[in-house]
Amino acid sequence: MKNVAVLVKKLPTPKSPKKVAITELPGHSIRRLQQIAVSLFMEHTKKHGVTPVQYAALEEIFKSPGLDQRSLATAIRFDTSTIGGVIDRLEKRGLVTRNASPTDRRVRLLELTSEGEHVLAAMQPTVQRAQHAILAPLSETEQVLFIALTKKILAANESLAAVTD
Amino acid sequence: MKNVAVLVKKLPTPKSPKKVAITELPGHSIRRLQQIAVSLFMEHTKKHGVTPVQYAALEEIFKSPGLDQRSLATAIRFDTSTIGGVIDRLEKRGLVTRNASPTDRRVRLLELTSEGEHVLAAMQPTVQRAQHAILAPLSETEQVLFIALTKKILAANESLAAVTD
DNA sequence: TACATATTATCAGCATACGTACAATATATT
DNA sequence: AATATATTGTACGTATGCTGATAATATGTA
């Protein structure tokens, strides 16, 4: 009787692992999805030399000229410690300017240069095509469904990661 | 008349960008999905100090002991130039061994240490919970649907990115 | 006004990701 | 055997992504 109690009581981590098919895990599928989305984006927008992350930054700065880095990061879900480097690269390419705020000396205000606006305008159609390409394997109905399901997951996890505020 | 022809013919890139809601682009949603999946994984498996990528490697090496790095990379869709560093870290932690092949001196054969097997076994339940957490916002039916749609996209793009062969 | 607290940006460290190039080694072909 | 080609692993450069720490600056409150 005592033996049984001991056996039942322990139940530690199983001695040997089970064989898990990585491919079947949602996490892995999502990682693959991301690899594919980035790959298609880069393929379609190759001639502009702008990454998906940089594109998102350009788009947001265009929508809200003069916003600060932190607000930008929050808006497009970058980590605040990443945003600096992204802006560095855009600034170096002359697509973005970063000026000290006259009212708050901590803040760097972001704006597109005319070159930045030009590049953004030029690449928008290619970005659209890339987005279509990602969902292309799905029917119209399936695409709507996929987007809805995705949004549902995102909505339930808004606070997770890259939301520094 | 000529004016019209000229206008029609050119159609260059638009002068000024349109305002695009980044949040509405599939690429951005997928990026968010990935951030969330990783975040949930790390949260659930915190005590094991193993990343999603490292976990995939452990799982695959357990399934196919003695496989080489390149095969591993292909199996779990790592970039071949990334796999080395991942194995380095697992090796340094004593979870994996990397031995020269007796038949082919180019190859490094991978195997789990007993510690590696132990860690893998210990974390499998927590990984399961993390995977459930990712899809938790969806109903059972929706989860099945989401997985099916995702797989359809992946199947159509198997060759894209991180498939070095 | 003086101090505690909050905010903005930056930096260091670690871990993917991918392109490109390259050395070592196998294998196929001539 | 000698050469051409393919394969395995590594290294370097660039770009995220996140944690934790810190400096500079604001702001709220005693």
Side-chain angles (χ1 to χ4, degrees):
Chain A
M1 276 315 193
K2 210 171 176 190
N3 294 343
V4 175
V6 170
L7 283 173
V8 171
K9 192 198 215 160
K10 299 204 77 175
L11 250 193
T13 54
K15 263 73 187 168
S16 73
K18 297 184 171 43
K19 294 194 182 178
V20 171
I22 287 300
T23 311
E24 296 305 308
L25 301 185
H28 183 264
S29 295
I30 289 171
R31 178 171 159 277
R32 282 290 293 144
L33 226 39
Q34 164 74 350
Q35 287 180 323
I36 289 166
V38 172
S39 179
L40 287 173
F41 183 100
M42 295 304 275
E43 196 179 299
H44 280 76
T45 68
K46 189 163 18 186
K47 60 167 167 273
H48 301 105
V50 172
T51 68
V53 158
Q54 291 169 3
Y55 166 73
L58 291 178
E59 203 65 75
E60 191 65 24
I61 297 172
F62 175 68
K63 266 207 329 196
S64 309
L67 88 173
D68 64 291
Q69 294 190 176
R70 201 156 199 114
S71 304
L72 170 59
T74 302
I76 53 185
R77 307 309 177 99
F78 287 11
D79 192 275
T80 40
S81 60
T82 303
I83 193 80
V86 176
I87 301 300
D88 277 349
R89 281 161 228 126
L90 291 173
E91 198 181 18
K92 197 175 303 177
R93 271 192 60 186
L95 306 184
V96 162
T97 58
R98 176 152 55 173
N99 299 307
S101 161
T103 57
D104 186 336
R105 282 166 52 196
R106 294 170 304 181
V107 174
R108 323 279 304 262
L109 270 20
L110 305 172
E111 284 181 27
L112 295 193
T113 62
S114 60
E115 170 67 4
E117 284 199 10
H118 186 267
V119 168
L120 180 56
M123 72 184 299
Q124 279 181 339
T126 67
V127 171
Q128 276 309 308
R129 281 194 285 278
Q131 302 304 303
H132 284 308
I134 295 172
L135 301 184
L138 304 182
S139 72
E140 287 265 327
T141 315
E142 289 172 333
Q143 295 190 10
V144 173
L145 213 46
F146 178 78
I147 291 174
L149 294 174
T150 299
K151 280 191 176 177
K152 197 166 179 181
I153 297 178
L154 299 190
N157 289 285
E158 274 204 345
S159 64
L160 276 191
V163 181
T164 315
D165 48 358
Chain B
M1 277 317 196
K2 212 172 175 187
N3 294 343
V4 175
V6 170
L7 282 173
V8 173
K9 193 199 215 155
K10 298 205 74 177
L11 254 191
T13 54
K15 262 72 186 169
S16 73
K18 297 185 171 44
K19 293 193 183 178
V20 171
I22 287 300
T23 310
E24 295 305 308
L25 301 185
H28 183 264
S29 295
I30 289 171
R31 177 171 159 276
R32 283 289 294 144
L33 227 39
Q34 162 74 351
Q35 286 180 324
I36 289 166
V38 172
S39 179
L40 287 173
F41 183 101
M42 295 303 274
E43 195 179 300
H44 280 75
T45 69
K46 189 162 20 183
K47 61 166 166 274
H48 301 106
V50 172
T51 67
V53 157
Q54 290 169 4
Y55 166 73
L58 290 178
E59 203 65 76
E60 191 65 24
I61 296 172
F62 175 68
K63 265 204 334 192
S64 310
L67 88 172
D68 64 290
Q69 294 190 178
R70 203 157 198 111
S71 304
L72 170 60
T74 302
I76 53 185
R77 307 309 178 102
F78 287 11
D79 192 277
T80 39
S81 59
T82 303
I83 193 79
V86 176
I87 301 300
D88 277 349
R89 281 162 230 127
L90 291 174
E91 197 182 18
K92 196 175 303 177
R93 271 193 59 186
L95 306 184
V96 162
T97 57
R98 178 152 53 173
N99 299 309
S101 161
T103 57
D104 186 337
R105 282 166 52 196
R106 293 170 305 181
V107 174
R108 321 279 302 262
L109 269 22
L110 304 173
E111 283 180 29
L112 294 193
T113 62
S114 60
E115 170 68 1
E117 284 200 9
H118 186 266
V119 168
L120 181 56
M123 72 183 301
Q124 279 181 338
T126 68
V127 171
Q128 277 309 308
R129 280 195 285 277
Q131 301 304 304
H132 284 307
I134 296 172
L135 301 183
L138 304 182
S139 72
E140 287 265 329
T141 314
E142 288 173 331
Q143 295 190 8
V144 173
L145 212 48
F146 177 79
I147 292 174
L149 294 175
T150 299
K151 281 192 176 175
K152 197 166 180 183
I153 297 179
L154 299 190
N157 289 286
E158 275 203 344
S159 63
L160 275 192
V163 182
T164 315
D165 47 358

